[in-house]
Amino acid sequence: METIIRGLSDVGDPVQIIWTGRAAFFLDRMTECREPHWRLVRDGREGRAVTSGIAAAVNLCLDDLLTGRWTEAQELADEGLRLCALHGYRLIEWPFWFGQAFLAGCRGDVERATDLADRMTRWAEPRGAALVLSYSRCARALAALGQGNAEEAFRNVAAISAPGTLAPRAPLAFWCAIDLVESAIRTRRPAAAAAHVAAMEEAGIAALSPRLALVVRGAAAMTAPVDRAAGLFEEALAVRGVERWPFDLARVRLAYGERLRRDRAAAEARLQLTAALDTFDRLGARPWATRAGAELRAAGAATSSSTERGPESLTAQEREIALLAATGLTNKEIGHVLHLSHRTVGANLYRVFPKLGITSRAALRDALRSDGCEPER
């Protein structure tokens, strides 16, 4: 794999690029394959090898979800679905539905996440597409965990790979491993959580990538007794390069902070929870930021989370874009008015929503009115 990835920049065959990227993704090495993938996306945009461009966009979008490039992931998912609709490529829409569902769930829009997961399920069931069903369950589980519905999360991840096993031919078993452990702990299934950690350790998946090392050691810390937990959490956070996966890192920091607070180590808890909250805020992961903020307050700290600051926290540009969006203008129309790209408009709105505590454009007018700003009609 090492030799193949290093030589990928000189490869012209789209099939080799795409399948190498797909294999690299499950080893958390897709980031090293991005340049040739973007080459395919650009070719597709120009009308050359559109199918290859869409397939490359899938790999980039999935990598973006893990590496915290969520604005780009949303743009790629939206663009991919537009191209699929334009060219009639209905069989390759579902990975983009997953990308949208993942982001919607993490940002607190559970209704949209559920709708997209339902769409994936309806597509997959008559075709017997077990892999697509796994992605649907993964999206449901993550959205449920963000909302504190651990039972729903456990039901879905256990259907992907049962506790204590890493199911064969189920690549998402690695991705959802920490979801299973966390949901098992929160639903009072300590034996299931411990069995799953044991299965991960026995399979040696921590050796596959720094992210998986973070996940395995973080999960082990969640299930460990008091005298071992802190050491395991510190081992997880000390894994070299884990900053490349900010959402996973913030989740481990949140779990560590929760454990420290319960163990009455408030000062140490505040350090971990503050770092987790900052990352969740930056990503726009509103439910997770809310959880981290609540834990931080319980640990005796005042928080200034963007999810709690309200309209006064908006920058001048964010406020201007929000006011225009509240009148019903599209991102493209707003960009025309303000001389910005529609992608810049979208990125600003994704920062605006968690700051205002909302999840849709429809709620903008009321949220802005609470600060004395009345969008023009």
Side-chain angles (χ1 to χ4, degrees):
M1 176 63 78
E2 189 76 35
T3 302
I4 294 172
I5 289 176
R6 279 203 309 267
L8 204 59
S9 59
D10 298 323
V11 171
D13 181 5
V15 174
Q16 184 176 342
I17 292 170
I18 291 161
W19 282 105
T20 299
R22 200 148 298 172
F25 169 74
F26 288 106
L27 295 174
D28 297 317
R29 298 192 60 179
M30 172 54 209
T31 298
E32 300 167 55
C33 309
R34 292 179 68 85
E35 187 279 326
H37 279 76
W38 273 115
R39 190 195 326 144
L40 295 180
V41 170
R42 288 191 294 271
D43 285 347
R45 287 171 176 171
E46 294 172 4
R48 301 189 300 271
V50 174
T51 307
S52 296
I54 293 172
V58 169
N59 288 356
L60 288 165
C61 180
L62 293 176
D63 184 56
D64 286 341
L65 298 179
L66 286 184
T67 56
R69 301 177 177 96
W70 286 6
T71 298
E72 182 180 275
Q74 185 74 56
E75 292 169 356
L76 284 167
D78 294 345
E79 179 182 5
L81 286 171
R82 285 196 300 272
L83 289 172
C84 286
L86 178 64
H87 296 283
Y89 297 154
R90 299 298 183 182
L91 293 178
I92 52 176
E93 289 179 316
W94 69 265
F96 298 119
W97 292 340
F98 171 75
Q100 291 183 335
F102 177 102
L103 293 168
C106 288
R107 288 169 170 154
D109 191 349
V110 177
E111 183 177 354
R112 176 159 173 73
T114 301
D115 177 68
L116 288 161
D118 287 345
R119 193 178 305 176
M120 294 169 68
T121 299
R122 289 193 300 269
W123 187 93
E125 284 182 337
R127 295 172 171 85
L131 178 64
V132 182
L133 286 174
S134 292
Y135 275 90
S136 172
R137 290 169 178 139
C138 178
R140 294 179 197 277
L142 194 57
L145 267 179
Q147 298 296 314
N149 188 346
E151 187 63 43
E152 171 72 5
F154 181 82
R155 184 178 64 80
N156 277 285
V157 288
I160 296 172
S161 187
T165 67
L166 294 174
R169 295 179 294 281
L172 284 187
F174 288 6
W175 192 336
C176 297
I178 197 167
D179 299 336
L180 193 148
V181 172
E182 181 178 350
S183 61
I185 291 170
R186 293 184 179 278
T187 55
R188 301 179 186 276
R189 294 179 171 99
H196 211 62
V197 170
M200 289 190 283
E201 291 176 336
E202 183 178 352
I205 67 171
L208 296 177
S209 78
R211 186 185 71 84
L212 288 170
L214 169 72
V215 165
V216 172
R217 293 171 193 174
M222 292 179 195
T223 62
V226 173
D227 60 336
R228 295 189 58 229
L232 288 169
F233 273 120
E234 290 294 339
E235 285 182 22
L237 298 179
V239 172
R240 186 175 180 180
V242 290
E243 296 79 9
R244 290 172 54 195
W245 295 280
F247 186 59
D248 289 299
L249 178 58
R251 287 184 61 182
V252 171
R253 287 192 181 280
L254 173 58
Y256 189 13
E258 291 171 336
R259 185 66 174 262
L260 287 167
R261 187 184 68 79
R262 289 197 303 272
D263 294 341
R264 308 205 183 284
E268 293 88 343
R270 288 195 291 271
L271 290 174
Q272 300 301 329
L273 294 169
T274 297
L277 177 58
D278 288 346
T279 299
F280 291 140
D281 271 343
R282 177 171 58 80
L283 292 172
R286 186 168 65 87
W288 298 86
T290 299
R291 269 182 57 184
E295 284 288 332
L296 194 51
R297 289 191 296 275
T303 64
S304 57
S305 164
S306 66
T307 60
E308 300 167 352
R309 289 200 298 264
E312 66 277 7
S313 70
L314 301 181
T315 66
Q317 186 177 78
E318 288 169 351
R319 181 182 294 263
E320 193 171 17
I321 288 172
L323 286 166
L324 290 171
T327 68
L329 293 183
T330 66
N331 288 5
K332 188 173 182 179
E333 291 167 337
I334 295 169
H336 181 73
V337 172
L338 300 179
H339 305 290
L340 300 170
S341 74
H342 71 277
R343 291 190 175 92
T344 298
V345 173
N348 274 272
L349 284 173
Y350 281 127
R351 290 192 294 271
V352 165
F353 287 179
K355 288 185 178 184
L356 297 181
I358 61 176
T359 58
S360 70
R361 299 169 85 101
L364 275 169
R365 181 177 292 274
D366 289 341
L368 293 167
R369 187 182 294 125
S370 69
D371 192 43
C373 298
E374 181 67 27
E376 296 181 6
R377 295 183 182 276

